[in-house]
């Protein structure tokens, strides 16, 4: 992708809409919609790096209710011809084809490489990558198991969705609350993941979410790991101008 003059690529992650309750997350949803309204003016593309929702599950004929403001804004932006890319997180990993069919937004379940203005990016949510996070990795194997998903789909949405919402907020392995502090560069497992990837191939930027902490860490001579933070405490987002990528804070 080649960026035209005065156009930018934007990145955001970890909104967790619906947590801890739909009512309490509504102001954050409105703030995120305001951000989308702002960046659509000069966006060449928008990347959403997962956990947009605190829980999401696509039944064959149903999806969780709510979030109409943010979904409507995403539809508006896509209809205006601006590409949007979505990477599932650990809270919305049960996405199937709803975004693709209804919003024309491609959904990715694994990190993916992109090139913008000859700068190479490796982009993903970040869960389950690198060393550590072993408890979640075991849990993810269960959650992504086709048989488990088939069994869960037999629960009526009025039963399955409330149960999953409760676990999503309360279970530390899912919520990530225990990781919401800087661990030191040597213990940040996404930093270690980025350094290992550089042994195989050069990337200018590794862009992830999941950690809920805004971070910019040099991982090679010309490589940087960026964690986008969240839309709960920090309201941070990434912006690439064709040459450099940086983090910004959205203030209405």
């Amino acid at each position: 992708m080649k960026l035209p003059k005065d156009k930018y690529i934007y990145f955001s992650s970890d909104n967790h809409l619906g947590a801890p309750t739909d009512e309490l997350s509504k102001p954050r949803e409105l703030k995120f919609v305001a951000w989308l309204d702002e960046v659509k003016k000069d966006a060449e593309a928008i990347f959403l790096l997962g956990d947009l929702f605190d829980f999401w599950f696509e039944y064959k004929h149903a999806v969780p209710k709510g979030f109409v403001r943010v979904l409507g804004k995403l539809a508006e932006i896509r209809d205006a011809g601006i590409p949007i890319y979505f990477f599932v997180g650990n809270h919305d990993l049960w996405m199937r084809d709803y975004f693709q069919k209804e919003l024309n937004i491609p959904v990715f379940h694994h990190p993916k490489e992109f090139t913008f203005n000859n700068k190479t990016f490796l982009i993903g949510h970040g869960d389950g990558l690198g060393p550590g996070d072993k408890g979640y990795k075991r849990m993810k194997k269960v959650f992504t198991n086709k048989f488990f998903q088939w069994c869960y789909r037999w629960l009526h949405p009025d039963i399955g969705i409330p149960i999953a919402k409760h676990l999503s907020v309360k279970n530390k392995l899912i919520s990530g609350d225990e990781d919401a502090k800087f661990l030191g560069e040597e213990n940040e497992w996404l930093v270690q993941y980025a350094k290992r990837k550089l042994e195989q191939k050069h990337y200018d930027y590794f862009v992830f979410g999941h950690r809920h902490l805004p971070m910019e860490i040099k991982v090679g001579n010309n490589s940087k790991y960026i964690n986008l933070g969240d839309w709960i405490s920090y309201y941070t987002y990434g912006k690439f101008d064709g040459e450099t990528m940086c983090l910004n804070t959205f203030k209405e």
Side-chain angles (χ1 to χ4, degrees), residues 44-67:
E44 182 67 12
I46 298 172
F47 284 78
L48 305 178
L49 269 58
D51 287 357
L52 176 61
F53 312 108
D54 199 61
F55 169 73
W56 183 268
F57 186 87
E58 296 179 20
Y59 290 86
K60 188 174 182 179
H61 298 292
V63 296
K65 71 178 183 180
F67 320 118

Side-chain angles (χ1 to χ4, degrees), residues 26-236:
K26 185 61 66 63
R28 295 190 289 107
E29 180 179 5
L30 294 176
K31 189 167 185 175
F32 185 61
V33 168
W35 177 76
L36 289 170
D37 262 329
E38 182 67 26
V39 303
K40 74 179 184 182
K41 300 172 184 176
D42 57 13
E44 182 67 12
I46 298 172
F47 284 78
L48 305 178
L49 269 58
D51 287 357
L52 176 61
F53 312 108
D54 199 61
F55 169 73
W56 183 268
F57 186 87
E58 296 179 20
Y59 290 86
K60 188 174 182 179
H61 298 292
V63 296
K65 71 178 183 180
F67 320 118
V68 294
R69 291 164 182 82
V70 69
L71 292 173
K73 184 57 62 177
L74 294 176
E76 173 193 318
I77 292 171
R78 277 301 295 123
D79 289 347
I82 299 172
I84 301 175
Y85 304 89
F86 192 95
F87 288 79
V88 303
N90 48 303
H91 283 253
D92 42 30
L93 55 81
W94 282 335
M95 275 197 172
R96 292 169 63 86
D97 58 2
Y98 181 80
F99 266 41
Q100 180 69 60
K101 288 183 176 179
E102 295 295 326
L103 304 174
N104 195 25
I105 295 175
V107 173
F108 303 97
H109 291 261
H110 304 283
K112 184 173 176 60
E113 179 182 323
F114 290 83
T115 301
F116 313 120
N117 283 24
N118 297 319
K119 300 288 186 179
T120 54
F121 287 67
L122 189 63
I123 300 170
H125 181 64
D127 60 309
L129 301 178
D133 214 9
K134 293 180 180 179
Y136 169 70
K137 287 177 181 177
R138 289 191 293 268
M139 183 176 289
K140 186 174 182 179
K141 287 182 179 180
V142 175
F143 285 174
T144 56
N145 182 275
K146 297 295 184 182
F147 178 73
F148 175 81
Q149 293 179 28
W150 178 83
C151 291
Y152 184 84
R153 195 165 278 112
W154 280 96
L155 286 175
H156 190 281
D158 287 350
I159 299 173
I161 290 176
I163 291 174
K165 281 186 174 182
H166 176 77
L167 292 175
S168 183
V169 171
K170 297 299 182 181
N171 192 309
K172 299 297 185 182
L173 288 176
I174 304 173
S175 67
D177 287 350
E178 293 182 342
D179 287 335
K181 60 182 182 295
F182 184 61
L183 303 175
E185 184 175 329
E186 68 280 1
N187 295 316
E188 286 288 342
W189 34 266
L190 281 172
V191 171
Q192 302 307 314
Y193 172 80
K195 289 180 177 180
R196 291 180 182 181
K197 295 295 288 186
L198 286 173
E199 295 174 1
Q200 306 166 15
K201 183 177 180 178
H202 173 75
Y203 293 96
D204 295 284
Y205 293 102
F206 297 86
V207 185
F208 296 104
H210 187 56
R211 288 286 286 109
H212 287 221
L213 292 173
M215 289 185 274
E216 297 184 63
I217 298 175
K218 188 175 181 181
V219 292
N221 291 333
N222 297 296
S223 302
K224 184 180 286 188
Y225 156 67
I226 294 179
N227 196 281
L228 297 172
D230 65 21
W231 283 75
I232 301 172
S233 301
Y234 298 100
Y235 302 96
T236 43

